Amino acid sequence: MCRVIDVRQAVLAKNDTLAGAVREEMAARGTTVVSLLSSPGSGKTALLEQVLVRVGARGVAVAALTADLATENDARRLARSGAPVKQVLTGGLCHLEAAQLRAHLEGWLPGGTRLLFVENVGNLVCPAAYDLGEDLRVTLMSVTEGEDKPLKYPLAFGLAHLVVLTKTDIAAAVAFDEAAFTANVARVNPGVPVLRTSVRTGEGVDALVEQVLAAADGALAHRPRMATQPEGGKGHVHEHGHPHEHGHVHDPHSPAAGHDGPGPSIHKPGHSAALPLRRP
């Protein structure tokens, strides 16, 4: 008799265990972890830079870890805030996992850090399935992306504690239907706050700072809410709507390369395939 083992579920279960360990370790250090999830070009790096500046100006010890497939660009931009910043290059992997985050924090995160921002790879699909041990999960979307995105990516928006709309200063120019967007967010995540922001005008930036400081004060729930399986859905399905099978899985313990010269430290794990989404 042939026994079928779902390796994807096993990997995600392992990730959840490690995420729990990260959450406990960060809580013991007094550090609140805020993860940022969005598609490429949403403006989350520009917004995060402003948040780091304003949080630091309040005397709160803050740091940021940013992940990308290639380049140091985001880390260099964020470092202008004066906060400690670490760049992680995923070598082609489209998301961070709890094991990666835990390994990169070890020996780097300054003692006394009260807030740690984790900027995930620009992607609304795979990163949404992985708990990183964060206390506050923020999903961002720009007005240029279209008001239907919460329905197209229900896991990314359904797991969020906070949804942030970016680039609101150009909403009229791109005929963005904010009422439709808000309604679509409510369909996949009823009751989640939606915050309007613009780095250009400063709209909402201070409000976002207040939200993350409230999280640091323990005013918000810790574990991200789990989205329900879409109506009629079964099994493991990508958000483009069809089952996905992989013949190999990513090893979250793959070795990382060392530091590349001055500036932010950079880690380069080997390339691995992304895993399909989990539907709780």
Side-chain angles (χ1 to χ4, degrees):
M1 178 181 291
C2 178
R3 183 182 180 190
V4 178
I5 300 175
D6 190 339
V7 295
R8 297 165 297 181
Q9 190 64 29
V11 169
L12 287 168
K14 182 176 182 180
N15 181 83
D16 287 347
T17 299
L18 291 170
V22 171
R23 191 171 283 112
E24 290 178 2
E25 291 163 6
M26 292 298 101
R29 295 178 59 135
T31 302
T32 296
V33 181
V34 180
S35 70
L36 305 178
L37 175 68
S38 79
S39 62
S42 68
K44 69 178 178 296
T45 303
L47 181 58
L48 177 56
E49 182 182 352
Q50 289 299 311
V51 169
L52 292 174
V53 169
R54 298 186 191 204
V55 170
R58 296 189 183 203
V60 177
V62 62
L65 181 146
T66 181
D68 250 319
L69 276 68
T71 82
E72 308 172 33
N73 294 350
D74 286 356
R76 294 192 185 282
R77 290 171 62 188
L78 294 177
R80 297 184 305 204
S81 69
V85 175
K86 187 174 192 178
Q87 177 82 56
V88 175
L89 297 185
T90 65
L93 188 66
C94 65
H95 62 276
L96 278 175
E97 297 177 9
Q100 293 171 303
L101 178 62
R102 192 183 192 194
H104 295 315
L105 291 178
E106 187 176 356
W108 167 74
L109 188 64
T113 299
R114 185 179 174 202
L115 273 174
L116 170 66
F117 288 90
V118 178
E119 183 182 19
N120 216 318
V121 178
N123 186 342
L124 281 175
V125 185
C126 297
Y130 287 84
D131 184 359
L132 298 178
E134 67 265 55
D135 301 296
L136 179 69
R137 179 178 288 198
V138 181
T139 298
L140 304 93
M141 194 198 89
S142 73
V143 297
T144 61
E145 296 175 62
E147 48 280 325
D148 62 340
K149 290 304 179 290
L151 303 181
K152 288 187 174 183
Y153 303 98
L155 196 62
F157 288 87
L159 290 177
H161 290 105
L162 174 66
V163 172
V164 173
L165 184 64
T166 63
K167 305 183 183 180
T168 54
D169 56 293
I170 60 170
V174 297
F176 180 72
D177 188 339
E178 187 171 342
F181 167 74
T182 303
N184 290 337
V185 170
R187 285 180 62 183
V188 299
N189 196 343
V192 70
V194 177
L195 180 63
R196 304 175 82 256
T197 65
S198 168
V199 172
R200 267 186 169 180
T201 67
E203 179 188 13
V205 181
D206 284 328
L208 180 54
V209 169
E210 294 298 336
Q211 288 278 353
V212 297
L213 290 177
D217 289 338
L220 299 176
H222 285 285
R223 190 176 180 84
R225 293 186 293 271
M226 299 306 294
T228 57
Q229 181 168 301
E231 185 177 351
K234 293 182 180 180
H236 300 272
V237 182
H238 268 297
E239 292 197 309
H240 46 49
H242 62 267
H244 195 293
E245 297 295 334
H246 285 290
H248 51 277
V249 270
H250 167 58
D251 178 4
H253 300 290
S254 58
H259 178 67
D260 285 1
S265 53
I266 301 171
H267 296 259
K268 304 176 181 177
H271 171 74
S272 298
L275 292 167
L277 292 175
R278 170 183 51 176
R279 297 294 188 192

